[in-house]
Amino acid sequence: MTKPTWKNPVVKWIDHRLPIFTFIDHSAIQHPTPRNLNYFWNFGSLLGFILVVMIASGIILSMNYTANASLAFDSVERIMRDVNYGWLIRYVHMNGASMFFIVVYLHIFRGLYYGSYKQPRELLWIIGILIFLTMMATAFLGYVLPWGQMSFWGATVITNLFSVIPFFGDTIVTWLWSGFSVDNPTLNKFFSLHYLLPFIIFGLVFIHLWALHTHGSNNPTGIDVKGDKDEIPFHPYYTVKDAFGLGFFLVIFLGFVFFAPNFFGEPDNYIEANPLVTPPHIVPEWYFLPYYAILRAVPDNFIDVWGWLPVIIPAKTAGVICMFASILLLAALPWLDTSKVRSANYRPTYFWLYWIFLINTIILGFVGAKPAEGAWLLIGRLSTLYYFLHLLVLIPLVGRFEKTKPLPDSISSSVISVSTKDEEPANA
Amino acid sequence: MVTTSQDKKKETVDDTKRDFLLYSTYTVGAVGALAAAWPFIDSMNPSKDVLALASTELDLSSVEEGQSITAMWRGKPVFIRKRTADEIKLAKSIKLSELKDPQSDGDRVQKDQWLVLVGICTHLGCIPSGQKGGDVKGDFNGWFCPCHGSHYDTSGRIRKGPAPKNLDVPPYRFTNETNIIIG
């Protein structure tokens, strides 16, 4: 990578004192990137775009939103009816949240398939999990703000999860509520935190990118870059590819915003919060459903079945532990996965385990949307069991016993057909 | 991107075509970004419920001669004064040449008795005193702004002090003898 020379005297003056232009040039223009990245590598920059859209639309919404239990619902209705383009900005923010999770799930499952979490990208992966957790918290807090029935009862159910903490549970829940139930102080606090967390995510994204640029992107073969022939500059190759993907994404995103804005929402949230009436069937937003299924899958007689657990952990507690563990275990994946080969393209057994795990997670999502009874409960329990079996047993074992396919010699040899005589590409 | 030794055709670059594609892409992108930004900018303009409150209706039947009332219109105070005969005479007697912002009293009222003004000093936006009986009314018996000492007369015209213009007259109409709609 060469140090750029700046012609514009103002740019030159600034860059000599604060090399911001050199930094941009190195990290977004010249940045050497594996030449074989497929469209699954679009989602990172797409997530950055969505984050900016969410922050921008959120700041505009907060200009007309009132974080007060008796005014919040009406202020949202005022945004929808009276504020110029308020309906558009709110629908962008609402559907943007769902898009954020669709894209982040694709991004995470990309990492799982191509083994992007493996050495030397463990920290990159863990920071990603932290971003994911912060996103979940932000989304939950934001869902409470319109102060509809689902907002209120979702907040009640989720905050009550913390009551399972031994000894201090009730004290912590009272602290979360700043009162004895979800009420005005809770709403104020949630609004404050909902405004704060996106900026924390923004900071984490920079650390994520810093870690990414230290060792560069993984790639579909999962093998390391071996020389200049394996790489191409980020601009214009991946800026153009990302821009194309962005256009494709916007068609889908705005398709929902303009033609099915409430597709991902719950009708009950257009009823103002009422602390005296619980809706008959409380469901979280779709992106939380797999974890909700895990939470409810743990049997009530958990202690009787698993007698070795300490008495201070009742069934409710076990459910909560399993739910948080299902995400936190992902952070341990770089060490749970014992295979040296990254990409599932060269791991015939893991390839199938990967797809079963993906389908199992989708099944958990469906189960989370159904009442926890009958066949759904059974399926939920089996799926939960398999989720942990995959991460804790199958992944460590398969790495030891799997016979992997031979890896290509280099990235360039994997993408250039054998008949070519390795002529140096003009622009590599 | 990848040229092979089998490639017979020589790669040529049509710079004009490239420039055209580049600039048209930038232009379309910029127009799209501006179009996307507009709803965000426009959302900060007055909303429909704010615009709906843009007029104020009042019943003035209880206002006595020589008495003033203050109404709210678009978040601003509006002074409505039922002037006495002396005040009207005084306002009409002033020569336009004596005025900093020349305007005859007849141009500032619809009915001689009723003076309707936006009660905001044209200097820096303070509220002049003179609405209540005991208030300081200034040297010209109208209104006096305490912030920087602007004096207004019985037609609300600037007579002395730093204010550049007469007190504004809002748009209004009488629906009958004593009912007024401002805005």
Side-chain angles (χ1 to χ4, degrees):
Chain A
M1 207 160 21
T2 52
K3 196 172 159 52
T5 49
W6 305 104
K7 290 192 193 98
N8 184 316
V10 178
V11 170
K12 201 171 180 172
W13 189 91
I14 293 172
D15 204 72
H16 185 64
R17 285 149 183 87
L18 176 73
I20 190 163
F21 296 101
T22 301
F23 174 76
I24 291 168
D25 186 77
H26 279 185
S27 49
I29 310 285
Q30 290 194 40
H31 184 61
T33 313
R35 66 191 301 165
N36 60 335
L37 300 188
N38 60 29
Y39 277 108
F40 282 99
W41 269 263
N42 272 48
F43 300 115
S45 70
L46 209 47
L47 286 164
F49 172 81
I50 302 173
L51 179 62
V52 171
V53 168
M54 292 304 277
I55 289 177
S57 56
I59 286 172
I60 295 285
L61 284 175
S62 75
M63 292 176 185
N64 287 294
Y65 172 77
T66 310
N68 178 298
S70 51
L71 303 170
F73 187 83
D74 288 343
S75 77
V76 173
E77 286 306 305
R78 184 179 159 268
I79 288 170
M80 294 301 288
R81 292 152 199 255
D82 288 342
V83 175
N84 302 327
Y85 293 105
W87 57 273
L88 176 62
I89 295 162
R90 175 159 178 265
Y91 279 152
V92 162
H93 200 70
M94 240 171 87
N95 287 281
S98 280
M99 293 301 133
F100 217 156
F101 279 94
I102 290 173
V103 179
V104 88
Y105 282 132
L106 287 166
H107 191 65
I108 292 170
F109 273 99
R110 187 281 317 269
L112 291 175
Y113 185 89
Y114 293 109
S116 301
Y117 48 84
K118 290 184 193 180
Q119 196 273 334
R121 298 185 183 84
E122 302 97 322
L123 255 183
L124 173 64
W125 174 259
I126 290 169
I127 296 159
I129 300 286
L130 285 178
I131 294 173
F132 179 52
L133 285 169
T134 318
M135 267 177 67
M136 292 172 88
T138 311
F140 162 69
L141 294 168
Y143 194 62
V144 176
L145 302 185
W147 211 239
Q149 276 288 65
M150 280 294 168
S151 299
F152 183 89
W153 292 100
T156 302
V157 170
I158 301 296
T159 46
N160 263 315
L161 289 179
F162 293 90
S163 68
V164 303
I165 296 168
F167 307 117
F168 308 106
D170 288 337
T171 317
I172 288 171
V173 172
T174 307
W175 179 75
L176 284 173
W177 289 337
S178 302
F180 302 101
S181 64
V182 175
D183 206 340
N184 193 51
T186 328
L187 178 61
N188 269 289
K189 186 192 313 189
F190 280 18
F191 177 61
S192 170
L193 294 175
H194 181 70
Y195 210 122
L196 167 71
L197 290 184
F199 296 98
I200 306 261
I201 294 177
F202 205 82
L204 286 170
V205 166
F206 263 88
I207 300 173
H208 194 62
L209 285 174
W210 187 5
L212 174 72
H213 284 203
T214 304
H215 288 284
S217 296
N218 185 30
N219 67 87
T221 64
I223 61 175
D224 289 327
V225 166
K226 292 200 175 102
D228 289 348
K229 274 166 67 178
D230 290 348
E231 293 176 313
I232 45 177
F234 191 81
H235 179 77
Y237 298 105
Y238 289 113
T239 44
V240 165
K241 193 166 184 164
D242 282 351
F244 178 74
L246 174 64
F248 190 78
F249 165 77
L250 282 176
V251 170
I252 296 169
F253 176 28
L254 296 177
F256 279 111
V257 168
F258 288 114
F259 298 104
N262 289 302
F263 179 81
F264 295 107
E266 280 294 322
D268 271 3
N269 220 30
Y270 284 102
I271 303 169
E272 190 167 2
N274 182 350
L276 302 177
V277 182
T278 308
H281 183 45
I282 300 183
V283 274
E285 287 283 84
W286 69 266
Y287 37 79
F288 292 137
L289 289 175
Y291 315 104
Y292 195 54
I294 291 173
L295 170 75
R296 299 186 305 174
V298 179
D300 289 338
N301 55 356
F302 196 73
I303 306 249
D304 299 332
V305 180
W306 309 83
W308 45 268
L309 269 179
V311 188
I312 52 160
I313 305 181
K316 199 165 102 172
T317 315
V320 175
I321 291 172
C322 284
M323 185 181 70
F324 283 110
S326 68
I327 301 164
L328 293 176
L329 267 181
L330 291 176
L333 204 55
W335 295 276
L336 289 171
D337 189 343
T338 49
S339 174
K340 292 275 180 281
V341 176
R342 292 197 188 101
S343 173
N345 286 350
Y346 305 98
R347 300 184 60 191
T349 318
Y350 175 72
F351 177 86
W352 288 108
L353 287 180
Y354 169 84
W355 287 108
I356 295 167
F357 182 68
L358 175 57
I359 292 163
N360 185 63
T361 310
I362 293 169
I363 291 172
L364 278 173
F366 277 101
V367 172
K370 302 288 177 193
E373 56 197 31
W376 288 114
L377 187 59
L378 183 68
I379 296 168
R381 284 177 179 168
L382 291 174
S383 289
T384 301
L385 208 61
Y386 184 79
Y387 187 98
F388 290 102
L389 186 76
H390 173 92
L391 289 176
L392 290 172
V393 181
L394 299 179
I395 288 292
L397 282 182
V398 85
R400 264 174 236 283
F401 298 111
E402 183 178 43
K403 193 175 179 304
T404 55
K405 292 182 192 168
L407 292 168
D409 293 334
S410 70
I411 291 171
S412 57
S413 71
S414 76
V415 288
I416 300 170
S417 65
V418 191
S419 64
T420 61
K421 284 182 191 166
D422 263 6
E423 191 180 305
E424 185 72 10
N427 39 24
Chain B
M1 188 178 82
V2 179
T3 49
T4 68
S5 53
Q6 275 96 348
D7 277 346
K8 294 282 184 284
K9 269 188 262 176
K10 202 161 179 265
E11 201 180 304
T12 54
V13 175
D14 183 345
D15 281 331
T16 318
K17 187 174 166 186
R18 268 202 187 172
D19 283 351
F20 172 76
L21 287 172
L22 196 63
Y23 292 126
S24 51
T25 306
Y26 284 161
T27 308
V28 171
V31 169
L34 280 175
W38 174 246
F40 289 80
I41 296 162
D42 190 39
S43 77
M44 291 185 231
N45 276 325
S47 60
K48 289 187 189 70
D49 61 322
V50 172
L51 293 175
L53 294 177
S55 65
T56 302
E57 189 168 357
L58 287 169
D59 178 18
L60 301 175
S61 54
S62 60
V63 181
E64 301 289 334
E65 197 172 279
Q67 195 188 357
S68 292
I69 62 162
T70 306
M72 281 294 275
W73 173 67
R74 290 188 179 171
K76 301 173 199 170
V78 170
F79 295 165
I80 303 173
R81 181 166 180 81
K82 191 170 190 178
R83 296 192 291 186
T84 60
D86 286 349
E87 286 170 347
I88 299 169
K89 219 170 96 184
L90 187 62
K92 288 195 181 299
S93 67
I94 308 296
K95 286 188 202 119
L96 288 186
S97 56
E98 290 176 44
L99 297 169
K100 191 175 181 179
D101 180 11
Q103 205 177 15
S104 73
D105 187 59
D107 291 341
R108 294 177 57 79
V109 293
Q110 291 179 15
K111 296 178 179 188
D112 280 347
Q113 211 166 28
W114 294 104
L115 178 66
V116 183
L117 301 167
V118 173
I120 293 178
C121 180
T122 57
H123 179 220
L124 290 171
C126 296
I127 311 291
S129 75
Q131 283 292 86
K132 294 197 192 89
D135 279 0
V136 180
K137 287 171 180 287
D139 294 354
F140 299 89
N141 208 28
W143 287 269
F144 171 72
C145 183
C147 289
H148 305 94
S150 291
H151 299 253
Y152 296 93
D153 67 13
T154 56
S155 188
R157 291 173 295 201
I158 180 66
R159 300 298 292 274
K160 189 174 154 190
K165 280 161 49 183
N166 302 332
L167 290 177
D168 278 337
V169 177
Y172 66 91
R173 64 197 156 90
F174 282 90
T175 52
N176 59 37
E177 274 308 300
T178 54
N179 207 52
I180 185 174
I181 296 175
I182 304 165

